[in-house]
């Protein structure tokens, strides 16, 4: 993958999109072969070096995985745990650290007024934007996003994908997003990779594809 | 899309602390502080160095329990007596509870709220008194008869069971029931076809849970003289035979483990029925086994229903009741009861604070993570075994052990209760940790967080509420157990009660009992409110 590239991963349910992203961020160990992230194989790293590598990769997951009882400010700050010591992380739960940056990040996703709300009081779409704000404070180089727009209305979906793309490009990295909506994939990504039963069956620049071509692709599951 | 970004950002809401939680939190901290000061921890010696030699001999005996065949035979007999009490007590409690449930269910009363409240109040009285207190009272009416042990378990358990059964019946989805009523069925028929089938599983689960609890209660009743393993434990303790004490403790632990495992298997089967038609053989077997055991227990204890109706029992009951009314309202007694009630509450508060802190510290180790190495598994196993041992030994026995090395006061009682509650809470918190969602933590680890940071932001937030709710629930239980610890001499309101009963001062007994029931009602209400605030 090239620096500044935005890649959409498309495919029917169960095609292996989430697994691919999991292998990239190191939560799913590859059963065969190896991956290189930021020019290193994470399998060969331990401890601090591994954490430093992982801090350069940011993930928005399909199930978001934001603890509900935690306030929004803490869930956003969780993006900085890669650079914080345990003591600072613990202290921040009592006296939130770096609130200015958190507020700026929430402002960009349109949630500035919810800083101190409990996360489980937010709607699905708002939680999705909290997860994006977490990435904004983490400032990763590689952004992995699993259905980042699934619970958003079309206008917000565009905003969020724009943000993720610009984040990746500004950080000198790349974006890999699993997407269900072909139109979104074509609008916000430079390259489209199609998966079927865990294998790559399509890899083409977005400009060369039409919405209809991709719809045929999703037709497999319908 | 720019419209969303360009919109003026609304003013951020200020950090609003949940005031209710703060009030509860501060109250809890204040209460623990008060209890610590009252325990005399800061104002004088609490340790008794002279007893350390005896304590050392006691601890050393743990590794060489008495294995003499004669003693083991006696122990096996005692274990059977304990099981017989537990089975009969729980059996009667479930039957009584099922009938009582009809009287306290909202479904029965419909909109007649006053009737429902009265029924609830009536059930709360037997529930508020510990099994051991019932035992003490029944001994005075029935004399030394096996019925004392059975009824001492059955009466309070039936009251609890009635409340819980009623709750289960009230929570069952109503659709089928109302459909039957609409089709012209009577209320009883509609309940039989529309409510009962939906509730059977949970009723059965709870009945087996009660049986588990009954085993523990039967041991405690033994301590106050009803026979069985508890009695054997008290005898060995009084004669300073530490090897025998340990053998009994191990037997207790094995019995509790057996009850635990059996109960858990049944509840698991009920929660996740096996696929396929036909009855679950294990479940049917368990129900049949319990019925058979009940019949055996009646024969083994040589219970005779005639005792309950004998002239002597009736005369004794008449005498006690007439002597016990009106309750004593003498100033010194009331002051003593009030002071002792405060002591009891402080004792339970210290115990819960200790147990909660310990359980949280141990939970990470006791829970068994999925991808654990053999060393980690071994450590987890050892911690779980220790927790089992802590909860297998009844709190009064812990109090006796602690009194070797501590001076009398509320501290040894509190620690004894705390150690026992740690055994229970440690397991509950460990289970909560095991069931917690692991994904938030893994996401944070994948983003480079340290394992402590990922635990703080990914696992802990979801656990705080449940753990505090468990602590509040155990506090209710601890207050009742604090009365029991007092009965055997460790301070608090139990001491006043045992003094009044042993001097046959019935008016005073009525006063103390009223105070105990009122106390446990207040604590139930408080803990209930606290749990609601934590949700």
């Amino acid at each position: 993958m090239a620096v500044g590239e935005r890649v959409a991963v498309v495919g029917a349910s169960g095609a292996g999109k989430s697994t691919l992203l999991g292998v990239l961020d190191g939560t799913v160990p590859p059963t065969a072969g190896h991956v290189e992230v930021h020019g290193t194989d994470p399998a060969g790293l331990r401890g601090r070096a591994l954490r430093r590598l992982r801090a350069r990769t940011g993930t928005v997951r399909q199930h978001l995985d934001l603890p509900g009882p935690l306030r929004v400010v803490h869930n956003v700050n969780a993006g900085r745990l890669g650079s914080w010591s345990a003591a600072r992380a613990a202290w921040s739960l009592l006296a939130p650290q770096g609130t200015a940056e958190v507020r700026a990040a929430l402002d960009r996703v349109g949630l500035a007024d919810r800083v101190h709300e409990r996360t489980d009081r937010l709607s699905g779409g708002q939680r999705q934007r909290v997860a994006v704000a977490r990435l904004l404070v983490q400032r990763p180089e590689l952004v992995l996003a699993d259905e980042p727009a699934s619970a958003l209305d079309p206008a917000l979906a565009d905003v969020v994908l724009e943000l993720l793309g610009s984040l990746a490009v500004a950080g000198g990295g790349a974006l890999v997003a699993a997407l269900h909506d072909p139109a979104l994939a074509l609008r916000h990504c430079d390259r489209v990779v199609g998966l079927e039963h865990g294998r790559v069956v399509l890899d083409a620049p977005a400009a060369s594809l039409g919405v209809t071509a991709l719809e045929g692709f999703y037709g497999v599951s319908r | 899309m720019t419209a969303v970004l360009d919109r003026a950002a609304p003013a951020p809401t200020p950090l609003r602390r949940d005031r209710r939680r703060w009030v509860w939190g501060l109250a809890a901290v204040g209460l623990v502080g008060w209890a610590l000061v009252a325990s005399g921890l800061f104002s004088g010696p609490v340790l008794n160095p002279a007893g350390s030699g005896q304590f050392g001999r006691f601890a050393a005996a743990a590794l060489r329990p008495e294995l003499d065949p004669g003693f083991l035979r006696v122990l096996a007999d005692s274990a059977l007596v304990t099981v017989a009490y537990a089975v009969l007590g729980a059996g009667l409690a479930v039957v009584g509870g099922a009938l009582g449930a009809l009287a306290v269910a909202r479904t029965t009363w419909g909109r007649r709220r006053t009737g429902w409240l009265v029924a609830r109040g009536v059930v709360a009285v037997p529930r508020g008194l510990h099994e051991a207190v019932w035992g003490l009272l029944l001994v005075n009416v029935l004399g030394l008869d096996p019925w004392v042990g059975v009824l001492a378990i059955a009466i309070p358990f039936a009251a609890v069971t009635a409340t819980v059964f009623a709750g289960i019946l009230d929570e069952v989805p109503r659709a089928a029931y109302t459909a039957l009523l609409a089709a012209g069925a009577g209320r009883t028929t509609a309940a039989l076809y529309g409510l009962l089938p939906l509730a059977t599983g949970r009723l059965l689960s709870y009945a087996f849970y009660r049986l588990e609890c009954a085993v523990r209660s039967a041991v405690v009743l033994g301590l106050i003289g009803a026979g069985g393993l508890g009695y054997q434990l008290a005898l060995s303790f009084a004669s300073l035979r530490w090897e025998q004490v340990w053998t009994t403790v191990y037997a207790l632990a094995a019995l509790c483990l057996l009850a635990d495992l059996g109960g858990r298997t049944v509840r698991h089967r009920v929660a996740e029925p096996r696929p396929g038609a036909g009855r679950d053989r294990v479940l049917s077997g368990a129900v049949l086994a319990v019925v058979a055991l009940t019949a055996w227990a009646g024969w083994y204890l040589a219970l005779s229903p005639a005792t309950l109706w004998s002239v002597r029992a009736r005369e004794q009951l008449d005498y006690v009741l007439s002597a016990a009314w009106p309750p004593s309202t003498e100033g010194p007694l009331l002051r003593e009861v009030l002071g002792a009630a405060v002591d009891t509450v402080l004792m339970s508060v210290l115990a819960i604070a200790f147990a909660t802190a310990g359980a949280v510290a141990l939970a990470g180790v006791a829970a068994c993570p999925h991808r654990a190495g053999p060393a980690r598994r071994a450590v987890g196993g050892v911690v779980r075994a220790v927790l089992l041992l802590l909860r297998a030994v009844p709190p009064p026995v812990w109090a006796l052990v602690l009194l070797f090395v501590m001076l009398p006061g509320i501290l040894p009682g509190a620690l004894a209760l705390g150690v026992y509650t740690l055994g229970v809470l440690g397991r509950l918190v460990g289970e909560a940790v095991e069931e917690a969602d692991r994904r938030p933590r893994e996401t944070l680890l994948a983003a480079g967080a340290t394992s402590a940071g990922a635990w703080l932001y990914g696992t802990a937030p979801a656990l705080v509420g449940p753990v505090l709710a468990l602590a509040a629930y155990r506090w209710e239980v601890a207050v009742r157990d604090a009365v029991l610890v007092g009965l055997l001499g460790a301070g608090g309101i139990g001491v006043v009660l045992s003094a009044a009963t042993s001097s046959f001062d019935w008016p005073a007994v009525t006063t103390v009992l009223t105070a105990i029931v009122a106390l446990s009602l207040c604590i139930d209400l408080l803990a209930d409110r606290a749990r609601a605030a934590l949700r």
Side-chain angles (χ1 to χ4, degrees):
Chain A
M1 279 182 59
V3 166
E5 200 172 26
R6 297 170 299 173
V7 180
V9 181
V10 298
S13 305
K17 301 187 296 277
S18 300
T19 310
L20 174 65
L21 294 180
V23 169
L24 286 177
D25 77 2
T27 45
V28 178
T31 46
H34 74 284
V35 284
E36 253 180 36
V37 183
H38 306 301
T40 341
D41 184 0
L45 293 179
R46 285 273 169 280
R48 191 182 276 263
L50 178 64
R51 284 205 287 117
R52 215 172 282 150
L53 180 74
R54 286 178 154 188
R56 291 164 64 192
T57 309
T59 317
V60 187
R61 267 167 220 281
Q62 202 166 3
H63 300 290
L64 299 178
D65 302 342
L66 304 171
L70 216 51
R71 286 168 199 280
V72 169
V73 55
H74 300 309
N75 260 325
V76 174
N77 261 337
R80 289 195 269 207
L81 289 178
S83 53
W84 278 3
S85 68
R88 185 161 183 207
W91 178 242
S92 178
L93 284 175
L94 298 173
Q97 306 279 299
T99 39
E101 216 178 319
V102 170
R103 208 162 275 163
L106 285 171
D107 198 21
R108 286 178 73 186
V109 294
L111 283 177
D113 54 334
R114 300 302 180 101
V115 184
H116 296 298
E117 196 98 29
R118 264 174 66 139
T119 309
D120 51 11
R121 304 252 160 86
L122 303 182
S123 72
Q126 287 170 330
R127 280 183 224 180
Q128 208 147 23
R129 284 183 277 156
V130 171
V132 172
R134 180 189 272 190
L135 283 197
L136 290 178
V137 302
Q138 188 189 345
R139 295 194 217 187
E141 294 162 32
L142 173 62
V143 177
L144 305 174
D146 199 350
E147 304 289 348
S150 60
L152 302 177
D153 61 57
L156 270 174
D158 274 324
V159 171
V160 162
L161 274 170
E162 189 72 40
L163 267 175
L164 290 176
S166 64
L167 180 69
V169 174
L175 166 71
V176 181
L179 291 171
H180 244 118
D181 180 355
L184 266 184
L186 293 180
R187 251 203 316 279
H188 293 283
C189 295
D190 313 309
R191 184 171 147 198
V192 178
V193 172
L195 294 182
E196 209 178 287
H197 303 302
R199 302 198 173 279
V200 176
V201 292
L202 169 80
D203 188 352
S208 71
L209 294 166
V211 171
T212 40
L214 284 189
E215 260 170 4
F217 197 82
Y218 283 107
V220 180
S221 67
R222 283 182 192 155
Chain B
M1 132 186 166
T2 43
V4 180
L5 283 180
D6 291 345
R7 196 175 51 195
T13 45
L15 175 59
R16 262 198 336 259
R17 301 276 184 203
D18 187 337
R19 198 172 296 161
R20 273 201 312 171
R21 284 185 171 214
W22 270 87
V23 171
W24 282 110
L26 288 177
V29 170
L31 208 53
V32 172
W34 180 21
L36 276 176
V37 172
S39 71
L41 199 58
F42 310 117
S43 53
V46 289
L47 291 183
N48 174 23
S52 55
Q54 192 66 273
F55 183 77
R57 282 192 286 285
F58 166 75
L63 293 179
R64 39 188 176 78
E66 177 79 75
L67 294 174
D68 169 60
F71 180 68
L72 289 184
R73 213 167 304 127
V74 172
L75 211 56
D77 256 3
S78 315
L80 286 182
V81 172
T82 298
V83 170
Y85 278 133
V87 171
L88 264 180
L92 276 181
V94 168
V95 173
L99 295 175
L102 298 178
V104 292
R106 272 175 199 273
T107 315
T108 316
W109 292 98
R111 298 229 180 98
R112 283 160 293 182
R113 224 180 128 66
T114 326
W116 178 72
L117 277 176
V118 169
R120 273 272 145 124
V122 169
V123 173
V125 174
R127 225 185 113 182
L129 296 178
H130 194 280
E131 297 91 82
V133 176
W134 277 108
L136 216 55
L137 297 176
L138 287 165
V139 161
N140 282 291
V141 174
L142 297 173
L144 281 177
D145 190 273
W147 273 111
V148 171
V150 174
L151 288 180
I153 295 177
I155 294 172
F157 275 31
V160 183
T161 310
T163 336
V164 174
F165 274 13
I168 294 175
L169 283 179
D170 287 342
E171 281 166 21
V172 165
R174 283 265 165 289
Y177 175 69
T178 38
L180 285 169
L181 284 183
R187 295 218 311 179
T188 317
T189 336
L192 277 179
Y193 280 77
L195 290 183
L196 208 56
L198 298 174
T200 319
R202 291 179 60 196
L203 295 177
L204 195 65
S205 288
Y206 188 76
F208 272 90
Y209 170 69
R210 268 296 123 197
L211 183 59
E212 271 177 70
C213 299
V215 172
R216 252 161 248 170
S217 294
V219 172
V220 169
L221 284 169
L223 285 178
I224 62 160
L229 277 180
Y231 185 57
Q232 207 47 245
L233 189 60
L235 279 185
S236 309
F237 220 103
S239 54
L240 309 182
R241 295 207 178 124
W242 308 132
E243 289 82 5
Q244 291 189 2
V245 168
W246 278 104
T247 316
T248 321
V249 165
Y250 293 138
L252 275 179
L255 197 60
C256 287
L257 184 66
L258 221 62
D260 230 59
L261 283 179
R264 226 196 280 195
T265 312
V266 168
R267 277 179 283 142
H268 191 74
R269 287 277 175 144
V270 171
E272 286 163 28
R274 291 292 154 105
R279 288 172 191 285
D280 188 324
R281 287 219 189 114
V282 174
L283 274 187
S284 319
V287 173
L288 282 180
V290 169
V291 172
L293 260 180
T294 316
W296 162 83
W299 167 80
Y300 190 75
L301 294 176
L303 281 186
S304 130
T307 325
L308 294 178
W309 282 274
S310 70
V311 180
R312 195 191 148 275
R314 203 173 321 135
E315 279 174 1
Q316 190 63 19
L317 184 66
D318 282 347
Y319 163 70
V320 168
L321 284 182
S322 62
W325 198 261
S328 160
T329 48
E330 286 166 34
L333 177 72
L334 289 185
R335 265 194 298 283
E336 192 188 356
V337 167
L338 189 68
V342 171
D343 275 358
T344 302
V345 172
L346 293 180
M347 204 194 270
S348 67
V349 166
L350 269 189
I352 284 298
F354 172 80
T356 311
V360 168
L362 287 180
V365 195
C368 201
H370 280 248
R371 274 170 276 168
R376 175 70 187 69
R377 258 169 215 284
V379 171
V382 168
V383 170
R384 282 200 299 275
V386 169
L387 289 177
L388 175 72
L389 210 59
L390 292 188
R391 64 175 181 267
V393 179
V397 177
W398 283 119
L400 290 176
V401 170
L402 286 167
L403 281 172
F404 285 143
V405 286
M406 297 177 82
L407 297 172
I410 65 173
L411 199 58
L415 265 184
L417 263 183
V419 166
Y420 169 78
T421 311
L422 172 61
V424 182
L425 263 187
R427 168 178 153 206
L428 293 176
V429 174
E431 279 173 5
V433 170
E434 271 171 26
E435 283 162 20
D437 189 359
R438 289 188 310 277
R439 290 174 306 186
R441 185 165 188 266
E442 280 169 6
T443 308
L444 291 173
L445 286 176
T450 56
S451 70
W455 192 83
L456 276 174
Y457 281 74
T459 311
L463 285 177
V464 173
V467 167
L468 290 180
L470 282 176
Y473 156 68
R474 283 311 301 190
W475 185 39
E476 292 174 27
V477 184
V479 171
R480 288 193 183 106
D481 280 346
V483 176
L484 163 74
V485 173
L487 269 186
L488 291 142
I493 203 161
V495 177
V496 186
L497 180 65
S498 84
T501 40
S502 54
S503 59
F504 303 108
D505 184 355
W506 294 108
V509 169
T510 315
T511 311
V512 180
L513 288 183
T514 316
I516 292 177
V517 171
L519 184 67
S520 63
L521 278 182
C522 287
I523 300 291
D524 280 9
L525 210 67
L526 257 179
D528 209 45
R529 284 290 181 83
R531 273 205 301 272
L534 292 169
R535 238 171 246 143

